[in-house]
Amino acid sequence: VPWELSGQQDSCENWDLQETSATIHRTWRKKFLDNLIFAGVSFSQQHVTHAEKKVVHYLLLSAPWSVLCYYAEELQLRVPLQVLPRQTSNWSASVLQWLGIPNLMAQEVPNLPLDYYTCPFKANKLRWFLGSDEQDTFFSTTQRHQILYEILATTQYGHSREREVGVDRLLSENVFTAAFPLHEGPYKLQPGASSLSQRQVLFQYWASWGKWNKYQPLDHIRKYFGEKVAFYFAWLGFYTGWLLPAAVVGMVVFIMGIFLMFNDVPSQEICSSDKQYWMCPLCKTCPYWQLSKICSTFMAGRLFDHGGTIFFSIFMSLWAVLFLEFWKRTNASLAHHWDCSEFEDIEERPRPQFTAMAPMTITNPITGAEEPYFPKCSRLHRILAGSMVIIMMIAVVVMFLVSVILYRAVSHSQTCFTCWASRIASITGSVVNLIFILILSKIYISLAHFLTKWEMHRTQTKYEDAFTFKVFIFQFVTFYSSPVYIAFFKGKFVGYPGNYQSFLGVRNEECSPGGCFIELAQELLVIMVGKQIINNVQEVAIPKLKCWWHKNKLFSSKKMGKEGDSVLVEQAPWVMDHQLLVFEGLFDEYLEMVLQFGFITIFVVACPLAPLFALLNNWVEIRLDAQKFICDYRRPVAERAQGIGIWFSILEAITHLAIISNAFLIAFTSDFLPRLYYEHVHDSGLHGYVNFTLAYAPWDFVLQSNTTCRYRAFRDRDGNFTLTHWQLLAVRLGFIIVFEHVVFFTGRVIAWLVPDIPESVEVKVKRERYLAKEALAENKVGCGSSSFKASSAFNLHRHTG
């Protein structure tokens, strides 16, 4: 970026600062590269490109065989012992094969990775591993990337006391502009190419829109991007597949609501009531209004509020329990298949940043090795301090929610369009709330990153779990606060004519004349569908624009001497990858899907179409994410993982919360129980139900206004609750207890009947341990030293002004 000059004195001061900074950076860079050479890393020749007012130097790094062997044993990388017969990994494929139905989702993907029995690498047992005589292919590309990143992350460039360690710190100080592994060539098939590269296979058989109905090539994804990315796409595909039955049942329930809407007796009574029911004003300046005016709104509410939604809420609660139980089985199978079933407990090493910054060392009780250590007491104090910051941020969200509620109430009181006043205020409030959510989320995520780094978590898994928990708590409150208010609080503390309750001098909000159910459905559609549309547009447009801008900035004015040379420089692999976007982790992708899971389970009783919208979104989401990883992102350093981490615990908590939420929604927000009560006590055909739900205004209010009016409540002419109110309250509480116990008990039975680990996986684990014991029991000389350079294709580059 050119330095702006505003005056002679400023120019001199800025020039001195710039020179001092450049000198420090040159010193750090030289020491860092010297230490890399000392660690055994080899550099190819420096590649230099010229752009406007800057020169970019690219360094291609590689590691000799001896270095690869040393770090492979240090990192406990798993290597193959014996080829394992491949078995189908999709439960749907097995079911369709058993039924004899053609599987339209299957596809033949070239270059299918082999499956192996594996064990941790030992240099002195080299000859017992498959392919040990082929040094250029023995370690996979992703394993070489892991080794080189470990070296880069732990190499010092200054004083260790000042935490001047690792390439990440140098990147943050702009000493280097980027450090990334290279992609395996272009993602599009080149003319004259005889075979597809791994990247081209993924582009054609995974990221292509034409493969929307095919299985994802998870083994290819794992081989190219590592286990952490592969687990995300495995979970996303599994979740999307399970949404199909939920969407079908939701559609059936919605269609049933359409038929009930036209045959509903209370709806017909309201639409034909004409001037029979004069309702009390909804605000101080609002007029009296006729109940018949809400005919269309009340009928729309019947689309979602009927007996079928009770069945659907139970179905979705059990669906969520089954989904998690079967994902645990799938997770266990994939973890074993991808050699990471014991990664977090035994194999995971401390984070390089933790290793560099920890103030002391301690002996690991499991491995017996000396490891960096940060006192638990100090970490606890930091976590408590960070929790206070989180609570303050959540308080800001709650304050904004209160302001939105007050805005709705004030807007309602100043608007005299009786039927639409509440609707207009609710819609505008929802839109303002959504905009606020998107803005505040960006601020909070940056804060959560800082707090999590400050807490000094030992492993990458614990670091990411702590970060995830912080941000999810905030996002949960942010996204769900408005629907929770509408579902459980709005219209519950209103009072009655002549004795209305207020908050901060503003009369408490009432539900719209059509009821809170239709408002909740609208809120879900605005937040859930609106957020999905915005996210998908962002995922399509923003990466393309960023790539274009980055490329244009790098090559806005080329001074290469010849135009042909300039084109060749642009097409160099390291330059092409430099133009791509930095991969910033999977948090945003997981968060989007988990929030969606919450919407379709916690509030599904108010919107049976939510699973359908989620299914349609996820079909698009899988291909958009695939294209981002293949076409728009630099290749990330492959990371190992044992599953989806703390996200599974969050999903379990949401499932339990959904059961409680649905019980209270049906009991206190829906009209299902009052209708059921009226059918059994008064009239099975619901004739007269509307009059049953309306109370007369108290005598004091009638005398003051000289007009009789009605309002929704079970109160007498003095404003006191009637016996019907207390009987209904007992019915509601009894329903909650029965509903929760039945669903929770059924969920427990399902969890007991479905084992977490399939029997076939347990057999494979025992077989693998036996083979590893046999292989490592023999003594054999190890790798030794070799001058061969593995083509690790790890790219580190810098630029000078």
Side-chain angles (χ1 to χ4, degrees):
V1 179
W3 197 276
E4 296 183 3
L5 305 179
S6 57
Q8 185 65 30
Q9 184 178 358
D10 290 342
S11 299
C12 292
E13 291 178 358
N14 290 336
W15 177 258
D16 291 340
L17 289 173
Q18 189 176 5
E19 278 295 303
T20 303
S21 177
T23 301
I24 294 174
H25 286 186
R26 279 195 296 268
T27 303
W28 284 350
R29 191 181 304 125
K30 183 179 184 304
K31 187 169 183 180
F32 183 73
L33 296 179
D34 289 343
N35 287 339
L36 285 180
I37 294 173
F38 181 76
V41 176
S42 301
F43 300 155
S44 69
Q45 66 178 23
Q46 226 180 94
H47 302 271
V48 183
T49 63
H50 298 261
E52 184 180 8
K53 297 186 179 180
K54 76 168 113 177
V55 179
V56 184
H57 300 263
Y58 294 89
L59 290 176
L60 300 183
L61 310 183
S62 61
W65 173 248
S66 56
V67 173
L68 293 175
C69 288
Y70 172 80
Y71 277 96
E73 186 168 348
E74 185 76 10
L75 297 175
Q76 300 187 55
L77 299 183
R78 300 184 73 90
V79 289
L81 285 170
Q82 179 181 320
V83 176
L84 179 66
R86 179 167 296 280
Q87 299 177 359
T88 178
S89 58
N90 291 294
W91 63 270
S92 56
S94 304
V95 172
L96 292 174
Q97 183 179 4
W98 181 72
L99 295 174
I101 301 173
N103 190 358
L104 300 177
M105 296 177 288
Q107 63 173 335
E108 291 293 331
V109 183
N111 304 336
L112 186 65
L114 294 175
D115 195 9
Y116 301 99
Y117 287 118
T118 63
C119 74
F121 178 78
K122 293 289 184 182
N124 61 346
K125 317 294 181 183
L126 179 62
R127 75 178 185 88
W128 289 99
F129 300 119
L130 285 181
S132 57
D133 53 341
E134 297 291 337
Q135 295 181 353
D136 56 341
T137 59
F138 179 69
F139 293 111
S140 68
T141 305
T142 51
Q143 287 176 333
R144 294 172 188 167
H145 294 165
Q146 290 171 337
I147 290 171
L148 273 170
Y149 179 74
E150 178 72 16
I151 297 173
L152 290 173
T154 55
T155 299
Q156 292 188 13
Y157 61 87
H159 298 291
S160 58
R161 291 183 180 179
E162 298 180 11
R163 300 176 180 178
E164 294 176 346
V165 180
V167 70
D168 290 333
R169 178 79 182 272
L170 290 173
L171 291 174
S172 65
E173 297 285 350
N174 294 320
V175 179
F176 294 101
T177 57
F180 54 88
L182 291 177
H183 277 294
E184 294 183 7
Y187 60 84
K188 291 184 178 179
L189 182 63
Q190 302 298 304
S194 58
S195 61
L196 296 174
S197 67
Q198 195 73 11
R199 188 184 186 191
Q200 290 167 348
V201 168
L202 288 172
F203 178 72
Q204 291 197 19
Y205 293 89
W206 178 45
S208 172
W209 288 104
K211 304 297 182 181
W212 67 272
N213 62 334
K214 302 296 183 182
Y215 291 131
Q216 299 182 89
L218 295 177
D219 288 335
H220 292 74
I221 299 170
R222 178 247 181 171
K223 181 179 179 182
Y224 195 77
F225 291 109
E227 289 81 11
K228 182 166 288 187
V229 173
F231 264 114
Y232 165 70
F233 283 103
W235 176 81
L236 179 57
F238 187 85
Y239 170 50
T240 303
W242 272 70
L243 279 174
L244 187 59
V248 171
V249 175
M251 278 289 294
V252 171
V253 171
F254 181 76
I255 293 171
M256 185 171 70
I258 295 176
F259 286 103
L260 291 175
M261 179 179 67
F262 292 106
N263 299 314
D264 184 52
V265 173
S267 298
Q268 294 172 359
E269 287 183 351
I270 289 177
C271 294
S272 61
S273 62
D274 196 19
K275 298 181 179 181
Q276 181 180 355
Y277 301 108
W278 281 94
M279 307 298 292
C280 298
L282 297 174
C283 62
K284 290 183 179 180
T285 59
C286 294
Y288 293 85
W289 54 284
Q290 299 168 17
L291 188 61
S292 59
K293 297 295 184 181
I294 68 164
C295 172
S296 58
T297 307
F298 190 85
M299 291 183 68
R302 292 297 294 150
L303 283 172
F304 309 105
D305 189 4
H306 56 85
T309 58
I310 312 302
F311 161 77
F312 191 53
S313 64
I314 297 174
F315 171 83
M316 286 303 297
S317 299
L318 298 180
W319 172 89
V321 173
L322 276 171
F323 163 71
L324 294 179
E325 289 300 319
F326 277 93
W327 167 249
K328 278 196 286 189
R329 290 171 57 85
T330 303
N331 189 103
S333 299
L334 289 174
H336 176 263
H337 178 53
W338 292 339
D339 305 321
C340 51
S341 55
E342 297 178 341
F343 171 68
E344 294 179 12
D345 297 329
I346 299 176
E347 301 173 21
E348 188 171 17
R349 288 169 51 81
R351 297 171 61 235
Q353 294 83 357
F354 177 82
T355 302
M357 298 179 184
M360 62 184 71
T361 59
I362 195 173
T363 302
N364 188 312
I366 298 176
T367 63
E370 195 77 9
E371 290 184 351
Y373 177 73
F374 188 80
K376 292 183 179 179
C377 183
S378 299
R379 181 181 294 117
L380 179 61
H381 291 163
R382 295 187 177 190
I383 291 174
L384 291 175
S387 300
M388 295 300 103
V389 177
I390 294 171
I391 292 172
M392 290 175 60
M393 292 295 294
I394 292 175
V396 171
V397 176
V398 174
M399 289 170 60
F400 185 83
L401 173 64
V402 172
S403 66
V404 171
I405 294 171
L406 292 176
Y407 158 76
R408 287 172 175 167
V410 171
S411 299
H412 190 182
S413 65
Q414 294 178 352
T415 308
C416 292
F417 300 104
T418 305
C419 295
W420 294 101
S422 179
R423 184 75 55 233
I424 293 171
S426 181
I427 292 174
T428 54
S430 299
V431 172
V432 170
N433 191 37
L434 176 61
I435 295 172
F436 169 78
I437 285 170
L438 297 175
I439 294 174
L440 196 60
S441 297
K442 301 295 183 184
I443 301 173
Y444 183 80
I445 287 174
S446 300
L447 180 62
H449 269 298
F450 171 79
L451 290 174
T452 310
K453 289 179 182 177
W454 184 56
E455 290 169 0
M456 291 289 291
H457 294 281
R458 176 180 172 273
T459 64
Q460 185 66 23
T461 298
K462 290 182 179 178
Y463 173 87
E464 291 182 357
D465 288 351
F467 172 76
T468 298
F469 180 75
K470 287 182 181 64
V471 180
F472 180 79
I473 290 294
F474 174 80
Q475 296 283 19
F476 183 87
V477 174
T478 304
F479 277 97
Y480 292 119
S481 56
S482 185
V484 165
Y485 165 72
I486 294 173
F488 303 114
F489 297 99
K490 186 176 181 180
K492 304 297 188 296
F493 310 99
V494 176
Y496 55 89
N499 188 28
Y500 288 112
Q501 298 180 11
S502 61
F503 178 72
L504 297 178
V506 179
R507 176 174 158 182
N508 289 347
E509 264 193 303
E510 294 188 50
C511 291
S512 65
C516 277
F517 237 57
I518 188 68
E519 283 192 62
L520 181 59
Q522 166 207 296
E523 186 78 7
L524 291 177
L525 291 175
V526 169
I527 294 181
M528 178 181 169
V529 179
K531 182 177 182 296
Q532 289 178 350
I533 293 174
I534 291 173
N535 285 341
N536 288 336
V537 171
Q538 287 178 337
E539 290 183 16
V540 171
I542 291 180
K544 303 298 181 186
L545 290 174
K546 284 184 176 179
C547 287
W548 173 83
W549 175 255
H550 196 190
K551 180 178 179 180
N552 186 64
K553 187 170 66 172
L554 285 174
F555 298 100
S556 57
S557 177
K558 305 174 200 62
K559 300 177 181 178
M560 302 297 298
K562 293 182 181 179
E563 187 176 347
D565 294 341
S566 174
V567 174
L568 288 175
V569 167
E570 278 197 58
Q571 292 179 348
W574 43 88
V575 178
M576 296 288 287
D577 286 4
H578 185 205
Q579 297 166 11
L580 302 179
L581 303 179
V582 178
F583 171 69
E584 297 180 346
L586 292 165
F587 175 81
D588 289 336
E589 279 73 18
Y590 271 120
L591 178 65
E592 181 183 355
M593 292 297 104
V594 171
L595 288 174
Q596 180 198 91
F597 180 84
F599 280 122
I600 68 169
T601 52
I602 296 177
F603 303 107
V604 71
V605 68
C607 189
L609 291 179
L612 176 63
F613 289 126
L615 176 64
L616 296 175
N617 174 80
N618 290 6
W619 270 334
V620 176
E621 183 73 24
I622 290 175
R623 305 306 151 187
L624 287 179
D625 286 346
Q627 289 191 353
K628 283 193 305 185
F629 275 84
I630 296 296
C631 308
D632 299 327
Y633 284 160
R634 295 169 188 164
R635 187 175 183 180
V637 178
E639 295 184 62
R640 302 190 68 198
Q642 195 170 330
I644 62 175
I646 198 174
W647 291 111
F648 183 81
S649 300
I650 292 174
L651 291 171
E652 284 188 316
I654 289 176
T655 299
H656 286 79
L657 185 61
I659 296 172
I660 299 171
S661 171
N662 285 324
F664 275 88
L665 272 172
I666 295 168
F668 288 98
T669 308
S670 167
D671 270 350
F672 173 75
L673 291 181
R675 285 169 177 256
L676 196 65
Y677 173 88
Y678 188 82
E679 284 181 355
H680 285 80
V681 175
H682 298 282
D683 188 292
S684 59
L686 290 177
H687 296 285
Y689 175 76
V690 174
N691 185 63
F692 168 73
T693 60
L694 298 178
Y696 287 93
W699 294 114
D700 294 343
F701 182 82
V702 173
L703 292 173
Q704 183 179 359
S705 59
N706 201 27
T707 307
T708 300
C709 61
R710 310 290 294 273
Y711 66 102
R712 290 200 65 180
F714 296 100
R715 294 178 182 267
D716 57 24
R717 296 302 295 264
D718 295 322
N720 300 317
F721 286 119
T722 62
L723 179 61
T724 301
H725 169 83
W726 299 111
Q727 290 176 339
L728 265 176
L729 180 62
V731 170
R732 295 179 201 270
L733 295 176
F735 173 84
I736 290 172
I737 294 172
V738 173
F739 183 94
E740 289 182 354
H741 279 70
V742 168
V743 177
F744 275 123
F745 175 76
T746 308
R748 293 289 184 184
V749 172
I750 291 172
W752 177 68
L753 292 176
V754 180
D756 292 347
I757 301 177
E759 185 179 354
S760 59
V761 172
E762 292 181 346
V763 173
K764 290 178 186 177
V765 169
K766 293 177 181 178
R767 171 66 177 168
E768 189 169 54
R769 287 176 179 170
Y770 169 76
L771 289 174
K773 182 180 178 181
E774 289 294 310
L776 300 181
E778 299 291 337
N779 292 318
K780 195 65 183 175
V781 71
C783 292
S785 178
S786 174
S787 60
F788 175 80
K789 293 183 180 180
S791 57
S792 56
F794 201 104
N795 188 357
L796 175 70
H797 73 273
R798 60 184 172 86
H799 73 78
T800 56

